[in-house]
Amino acid sequence: MASDAGLGYGDKLFWLSVLIQRRYAQICAELDLTPMQATLLCAIKDEPKRMTYLAASLGMTKNALSQLVDRTERRDLVNRVGSDQDRRVIMLGVTPTGKVLADAVYAETADRLPDIAKNLTPDDQRDLERVATTVVDAADVPASARS
């Protein structure tokens, strides 16, 4: 993407989002996952979560999440389990295979995503990290999703 001083702040954030999504999609494709499957696996990699919580936190309708889970479950990457506290509650957890893939997505993303800032000076990279941390913290992303 050529530099364009005429781009506004929102435009620049849009293109940053495109760069991040493109890199994430490459990583997911290399692991034979769709970006949504990978995001789902990462959201539950450390502990099962309620389906209603996942729908809300991933910004999906319950129906869309259910379809995603069905496709991912057919690949033996996730499983639905009932809650010990309430049989009406459906929890979603990763299978051993799903855990391996989730850990791989997380590690590859954490390792390779910073490459989009490789042309920045070390000081600018630290500034970007600081700003990204502030944005994520302000967005109230659960700590378990950041590990």
Side-chain angles (χ1 to χ4, degrees):
M1 180 176 76
S3 178
D4 184 348
L7 289 178
Y9 178 62
D11 297 316
K12 291 172 186 173
L13 288 176
F14 169 80
W15 285 111
L16 177 60
S17 171
V18 168
L19 291 171
I20 291 169
Q21 289 175 61
R22 190 180 329 164
R23 178 63 49 92
Y24 185 63
Q26 287 173 327
I27 293 165
C28 294
E30 290 168 11
L31 295 168
D32 194 28
L33 294 168
T34 67
M36 284 308 301
Q37 286 174 326
T39 300
L40 176 65
L41 291 175
C42 288
I44 60 173
K45 73 183 185 67
D46 294 322
E47 63 183 359
K49 303 268 188 332
R50 288 176 154 214
M51 292 280 285
T52 53
Y53 169 83
L54 288 168
S57 65
L58 298 176
M60 302 178 77
T61 65
K62 290 178 187 175
N63 186 43
L65 176 63
S66 200
Q67 291 174 9
L68 173 63
V69 169
D70 287 345
R71 290 188 304 273
T72 310
E73 194 172 36
R74 281 193 291 274
R75 293 191 54 194
D76 193 36
L77 302 177
V78 298
N79 55 10
R80 292 176 172 106
V81 293
S83 167
D84 293 337
Q85 292 80 25
D86 186 343
R87 294 182 332 172
R88 297 170 296 178
V89 172
I90 303 297
M91 305 288 287
L92 189 69
V94 290
T95 63
T97 303
K99 173 74 170 144
V100 168
L101 278 173
D103 288 342
V105 167
Y106 222 84
E108 284 295 309
T109 302
D111 184 52
R112 293 170 47 192
L113 198 55
D115 287 350
I116 65 169
K118 67 184 174 197
N119 292 329
L120 299 178
T121 67
D123 285 344
D124 285 345
Q125 288 180 17
R126 281 189 294 280
D127 287 345
L128 180 59
E129 180 181 6
R130 181 187 51 77
V131 170
T133 300
T134 301
V135 169
V136 168
D137 288 349
D140 203 26
V141 175
S144 63
R146 291 184 257 162
S147 60

